[in-house]
Amino acid sequence: MNAIGLLLLVLALVLMMTTGWATYAVLLGVSTLGAVAGLALGAFDGAVLRSLPERVVGLLEHDLLQALVLYAVVGALLNHLALVNGLYSGLRKVLARVVGQRAAPDMAGLGVGMLMAPMNGSVGASLVTLSHTAGQAWAHEGMPPARRTALVAVASTLGIIVPPSLVLLLLGDAMLRAHTEGLTLATQLGLASAHAGTRIINTQDVLQAALAPGALLLVLWMGVTWWLAQRRTGRIADQGAVSSAPAPLTRSERWTLGVVPTLIVALLALVTTGRVRAVEAAATAGVLLLVWGVASRQLTLRRLAQVLDDAMALTGALFALLVAAVTFSLVLRAYGTDVLVAEWMRALQGQPLLAMGVVLAVLLGSAFVLDAFELIFLIIPIVMPPLLALVDDAAWVAALTLLVLQAGFLLPPLGYALVLSRAQVAPRPAMGALARALAPYLLCLAGVIALVMAVPATTQWLRSTPATLPEMSIQGDDLDALMREMSQPEAPAPVPAASATPP
């Protein structure tokens, strides 16, 4: 009976690939089919399904979902306000003085992706924003379709690895739960990885573990972008060669370049160091964008209605996906699919790197079909707990997972970001030309993945918390309390009573 759950998973993936139906509808339909079949075959008791309402309510009470709504609002504001246009044009003029006119447009687009992708909340939202700003500017300047499609796809995936993106935050929460289940499983099976003082990772650990690999990847991609721009021929290159003096910055561009990157970098630093929560950073960004939109007279009532419509549509889709994934996960667990996967992984107990490779290959293949949120809600809860029962460093695994997801979104011909970016370009570039344009970026990404896998210390340099908690055991009723405690950022030092201010 355990294998029925895997068959349901395969059926769901096939329907997603072939029908074009909404993912949440596919998951709910397959879950209903699996539940009816399980009850008819006597595979599990109906009492298992009665726990579904409690699981859904518990999910919707999660604090992180507040950040999800706020990130949707921030992404919608960025798409409807002209802030990104000013940021791109200002960055281009500044970079023209540093790297030259020929490479400035490409590197400015990558810089906008680096700054905006973490705040946009999703790969799709980042991609749309970049297509409407840098992508249109590149098309006007004569950049080949394959080249600008590849650049938009590459820049839009920076939000996966650069904190505090919504993808990274949701993965951190999923890894917290998976690490808890993995330690429990290791204790039950008596595995060597079951250490009494192991501390369950939190979102902060994942943010800090991903920072060094993300910075290295960004530096490599910037270098590749500059190198490819120097070798490019065509109208945009000729314009760069002819125009020797960069255009001066306008007053608006000076303000944009001075204020926007400073605020974004400050928010990223505060979230990464744990001084503010992700929901607070998202709320701050949303309020600042609203104030800027009103002050610049861009945020009319009609545009505000469009922003709210877009935010509600994204939020509704994600919440529906969450509920569907929880339902589908419950049915798979009722069939014992998690136990079956754990038994397979136990066979690799003495080969943790091989087990890691298997799980990463599953995630890479799933990225051709699913977007980041679907992978986090659907695949991670199945494959990650058994792996974390074998591997000690869960934050290292999380950083590798982010890099592999990024690679899956860029691999031709079915990479999620690649397909979306190609659909934004007319005429659509040939897949062969697009693959050649992406090849240098994918090679850099593969090199970073290999480095992180071979040297786990690359994810440990910036971590500020220990991996163990002496004199504490993680078992029994303490597990849920420890999960909640470890998911919170470190509290600031208490303020003396004399200087305290009211909240």
Side-chain angles (χ1 to χ4, degrees):
M1 290 293 182
N2 292 1
I4 295 180
L6 291 179
L7 293 177
L8 292 175
L9 179 60
V10 172
L11 175 61
L13 293 175
V14 170
L15 289 175
M16 291 177 200
M17 287 188 293
T18 58
T19 62
W21 297 340
T23 300
Y24 72 87
V26 171
L27 292 179
L28 289 176
V30 175
S31 299
T32 302
L33 177 64
V36 171
L39 293 175
L41 296 173
F44 51 82
D45 189 80
V48 175
L49 301 178
R50 286 198 287 272
S51 65
L52 178 60
E54 296 180 2
R55 293 169 68 96
V56 172
V57 171
L59 173 73
L60 297 179
E61 290 178 347
H62 200 294
D63 291 342
L64 189 59
L65 293 188
Q66 300 174 21
L68 186 153
V69 177
L70 291 169
Y71 270 97
V73 173
V74 169
L77 285 169
L78 289 174
N79 287 334
H80 286 281
L81 299 178
L83 183 66
V84 181
N85 287 315
L87 184 60
Y88 169 76
S89 61
L91 270 178
R92 175 176 175 170
K93 292 177 181 178
V94 170
L95 288 173
R97 297 180 171 90
V98 179
V99 300
Q101 291 276 20
R102 181 171 293 190
D106 306 38
M107 298 187 69
L110 208 57
V112 170
M114 177 193 67
L115 291 171
M116 292 299 177
M119 305 306 297
N120 249 334
S122 70
V123 173
S126 301
L127 192 144
V128 171
T129 300
L130 289 168
S131 296
H132 291 168
T133 54
Q136 291 183 357
W138 293 333
H140 179 72
E141 294 164 350
M143 182 181 291
R147 173 68 177 158
R148 66 176 186 266
T149 301
L151 275 175
V152 167
V154 165
S156 67
T157 62
L158 288 171
I160 296 175
I161 194 70
V162 178
S165 71
L166 186 56
V167 172
L168 197 153
L169 294 174
L170 290 175
L171 178 67
D173 183 68
M175 291 296 294
L176 181 150
R177 298 174 182 275
H179 195 199
T180 303
E181 295 178 14
L183 290 177
T184 304
L185 180 62
T187 301
Q188 293 172 349
L189 298 178
L191 300 180
S193 58
H195 302 301
T198 301
R199 186 180 67 86
I200 299 174
I201 67 166
N202 56 25
T203 303
Q204 206 65 36
D205 296 316
V206 178
L207 291 175
Q208 294 173 354
L211 200 56
L216 175 60
L217 180 64
L218 182 61
V219 169
L220 291 175
W221 276 2
M222 282 288 189
V224 166
T225 301
W226 178 85
W227 177 70
L228 292 175
Q230 299 304 314
R231 299 174 65 248
R232 185 173 60 236
T233 59
R235 182 156 65 97
I236 190 171
D238 295 338
Q239 288 177 348
V242 172
S243 181
S244 57
L249 291 171
T250 65
R251 182 178 179 181
S252 175
E253 290 170 346
R254 289 196 192 97
W255 273 100
T256 302
L257 285 180
V259 175
V260 174
T262 302
L263 291 175
I264 290 177
V265 171
L267 289 175
L268 299 187
L270 289 172
V271 172
T272 303
T273 56
R275 296 186 179 276
V276 301
R277 302 175 188 273
V279 63
E280 295 168 342
T284 302
V287 170
L288 291 175
L289 284 171
L290 285 171
V291 171
W292 184 85
V294 172
S296 62
R297 299 182 181 180
Q298 293 188 46
L299 195 61
T300 61
L301 289 178
R302 180 178 180 181
R303 185 163 291 174
L304 179 61
Q306 293 174 341
V307 167
L308 295 178
D309 283 345
D310 291 351
M312 287 293 291
L314 177 59
T315 302
L318 290 178
F319 272 70
L321 178 60
L322 273 168
V323 173
V326 167
T327 306
F328 191 72
S329 175
L330 178 62
V331 173
L332 293 187
R333 290 177 183 273
Y335 276 109
T337 306
D338 55 335
V339 177
L340 179 61
V341 174
E343 291 175 354
W344 289 350
M345 296 296 292
R346 189 181 181 185
L348 302 174
Q349 180 178 350
Q351 300 173 317
L353 286 181
L354 180 58
M356 171 85 75
V358 171
V359 170
L360 294 181
V362 170
L363 293 173
L364 185 63
S366 301
F368 285 124
V369 184
L370 308 176
D371 68 14
F373 300 119
E374 294 163 353
L375 278 165
I376 292 170
F377 300 147
L378 183 60
I379 305 298
I380 293 293
I382 298 174
V383 300
M384 201 55 72
L387 175 62
L388 296 183
L390 305 177
V391 179
D392 291 333
D393 195 344
W396 171 57
V397 176
L400 278 169
T401 299
L402 288 167
L403 290 168
V404 167
L405 290 183
Q406 194 171 12
F409 293 150
L410 291 174
L411 281 176
L414 299 176
Y416 178 75
L418 185 61
V419 171
L420 287 182
S421 178
R422 190 166 177 250
Q424 301 285 326
V425 177
R428 294 186 181 182
M431 188 55 67
L434 192 50
R436 289 190 294 272
L438 280 169
Y441 297 97
L442 291 174
L443 286 175
C444 291
L445 181 53
V448 173
I449 293 174
L451 175 64
V452 173
M453 182 170 282
V455 188
T458 53
T459 65
Q460 299 168 0
W461 294 332
L462 301 176
R463 283 191 244 171
S464 58
T465 50
T468 58
L469 289 174
E471 301 179 3
M472 281 190 72
S473 60
I474 302 174
Q475 55 184 355
D477 297 334
D478 297 333
L479 219 50
D480 290 338
L482 186 58
M483 274 177 50
R484 290 191 294 269
E485 179 184 347
M486 290 302 142
S487 65
Q488 305 299 328
E490 188 175 339
V495 180
S499 61
T501 55

